[in-house]
C-alpha cells in the first residue's frame, strides 16, 4: 500500500500496522496457506490503484499532497475494516485485523534525491525515515512482498530521476504524485499477480481459460477458489498426519 508522509515529500508503501512484522516473523510465504495473505495484499494494492486512477480519469485532484495522503489513507482504512477482503477476510483473532493503513517503505521525491527509504514508527508522532536498500527490504519481507514493494518503489525512483533530469517543474505537484502513484501501483500489482498465479498452480489450481487479462497482467484464482485451495491443502495435511500416527 502507499502513503505520502509530510516531512520528506516521499511516496511510500503502505501496509497494515502489523503486516510487515508478520512478514518478518515468517520470511517465507511460498506455501499454499500463504495464498490468502498474498491475495489480501493484492486487493489492497488494486484498491489504491483504482483510487488514484479515478482522480486521473476525472481530472479532479485533491487540493494538496497532504489532502491526497489523507483521502487515500482514509479510504483504504475504511475498505480494510469493511468488506475489501470478502471471503478472504482474516479471522477476528488475527493481530492487525482491524488495523489501519500505515507507511512502511517509500521514495523521497523532494529535492531530487529519489532515495529509497524505510519508515520508522514513533509513538505519538509522525514516522521518521531512514535510507534502506533493496537487499534490506528482501531481508525484511518474504519474496513476493519484497519484490512487489521494490518494483513499486523503483517505478517512483525512475520517474523521479527522469523528471528532475528533464527539469520538469511539476514534479512536486499533486497531479505528478497521483500519476506516479497510479503507475507504481500498477507495476506492483502485476508482480503480485505473477506470484499468486505461480503459487496457486503449485497448489493444484486448475487455472483459467485465459492466462492473462486484457491489460496483460496474470489471471489469478477467484477469492472463492483461494479458499478452496487452502482448505484442500489443510485437509490433505490432516489426512497425512492421521496416516502416520
Amino acid at each position: 500500500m502507499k502513503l505520502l508522509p509530510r516531512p520528506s515529500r516521499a511516496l511510500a508503501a503502505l501496509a497494515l500496522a502489523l503486516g510487515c512484522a508478520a512478514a518478518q516473523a515468517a520470511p517465507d510465504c511460498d506455501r499454499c496457506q500463504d495464498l490468502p495473505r498474498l491475495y489480501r495484499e493484492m486487493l489492497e494494492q488494486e484498491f489504491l490503484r483504482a483510487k488514484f486512477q479515478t482522480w486521473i480519469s476525472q481530472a479532479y485532484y485533491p487540493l494538496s499532497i497532504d489532502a491526497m495522503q489523507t483521502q487515500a489513507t482514509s479510504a483504504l482504512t475504511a475498505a480494510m475494516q469493511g468488506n475489501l477482503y470478502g471471503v478472504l477476510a482474516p479471522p477476528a483473532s488475527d493481530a492487525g485485523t482491524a488495523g489501519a493503513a500505515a507507511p512502511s517503505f517509500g521514495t523521497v521525491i523532494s529535492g531530487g534525491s529519489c532515495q529509497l527509504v524505510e519508515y520508522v514508527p514513533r509513538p505519538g508522532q509522525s514516522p521518521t525515515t531512514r535510507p534502506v536498500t533493496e537487499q534490506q527490504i528482501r531481508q525484511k519481507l518474504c519474496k513476493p512482498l519484497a519484490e512487489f514493494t521494490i518494483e513499486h518503489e523503483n517505478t517512483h525512483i525512475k520517474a523521479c530521476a527522469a523528471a528532475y533530469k528533464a527539469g520538469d517543474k511539476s514534479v512536486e505537484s499533486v497531479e505528478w504524485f497521483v500519476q506516479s502513484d497510479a503507475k507504481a501501483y500498477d507495476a506492483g500489482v502485476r508482480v503480485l499477480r505473477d506470484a499468486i498465479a505461480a503459487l496457486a498452480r503449485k497448489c493444484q489450481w486448475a487455472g483459467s481459460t485465459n492466462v492473462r487479462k486484457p491489460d496483460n497482467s496474470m489471471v489469478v484464482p477467484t477469492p472463492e477458489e483461494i479458499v478452496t485451495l487452502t482448505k484442500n491443502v489443510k485437509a490433505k495435511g490432516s489426512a497425512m498426519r492421521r496416516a502416520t500416527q
Side-chain angles (χ1 to χ4, degrees):
M1 293 159 275
K2 297 285 297 178
L3 183 62
L4 175 68
R6 295 181 180 85
S8 59
R9 280 288 191 267
L11 292 164
L14 292 182
L16 284 172
L18 299 179
C20 289
Q24 291 177 42
D28 294 325
C29 52
D30 56 357
R31 304 164 300 171
C32 297
Q33 53 263 46
D34 293 316
L35 280 168
R37 178 160 68 103
L38 295 176
Y39 209 99
R40 286 193 291 268
E41 185 67 49
M42 183 192 74
L43 291 174
E44 294 163 6
Q45 298 298 310
E46 290 184 335
F47 177 90
L48 286 167
R49 179 180 63 180
K51 180 68 174 176
F52 283 86
Q53 287 176 339
T54 297
W55 280 327
I56 293 171
S57 64
Q58 294 177 344
Y60 189 82
Y61 300 94
L63 291 175
S64 67
I65 293 173
D66 286 347
M68 178 195 77
Q69 168 184 324
T70 299
Q71 290 179 35
T73 304
S74 297
L76 178 59
T77 297
M80 288 161 56
Q81 296 175 353
N83 195 40
L84 176 63
Y85 307 124
V87 296
L88 293 177
S93 58
D94 280 9
T97 296
S104 53
F105 300 98
T107 301
V108 177
I109 303 298
S110 181
S113 70
C114 308
Q115 184 179 41
L116 184 61
V117 294
E118 176 181 16
Y119 284 83
V120 183
R122 295 186 297 177
Q125 303 180 63
S126 297
T128 186
T129 63
R130 62 188 175 199
V132 69
T133 65
E134 292 183 9
Q135 181 180 0
Q136 289 171 325
I137 291 176
R138 290 189 174 100
Q139 291 171 344
K140 291 174 180 291
L141 304 178
C142 66
K143 185 175 180 179
L145 299 184
E147 295 308 320
F148 104 76
T149 299
I150 290 169
E151 182 69 20
H152 182 121
E153 298 306 336
N154 277 341
T155 302
H156 286 313
I157 290 170
K158 291 175 184 177
C160 174
Y164 276 99
K165 183 177 180 179
D168 185 350
K169 298 185 182 301
S170 71
V171 68
E172 293 189 32
S173 67
V174 175
E175 291 86 348
W176 190 94
F177 272 80
V178 169
Q179 291 170 13
S180 179
D181 245 331
K183 293 175 182 177
Y185 283 120
D186 186 64
V189 163
R190 289 171 184 274
V191 172
L192 273 174
R193 281 184 161 270
D194 286 349
I196 291 170
L199 179 56
R201 285 192 291 271
K202 291 180 181 178
C203 300
Q204 308 304 310
W205 176 45
S208 165
T209 53
N210 296 321
V211 176
R212 294 186 179 274
K213 298 174 62 180
D215 66 1
N216 206 38
S217 63
M218 290 296 293
V219 170
V220 298
T222 64
E224 290 75 16
E225 287 176 314
I226 292 291
V227 171
T228 299
L229 290 172
T230 306
K231 286 182 177 178
N232 288 345
V233 169
K234 289 181 179 178
K236 289 180 180 178
S238 297
M240 290 182 66
R241 285 194 295 273
R242 288 195 298 271
T244 57
Q245 288 176 351

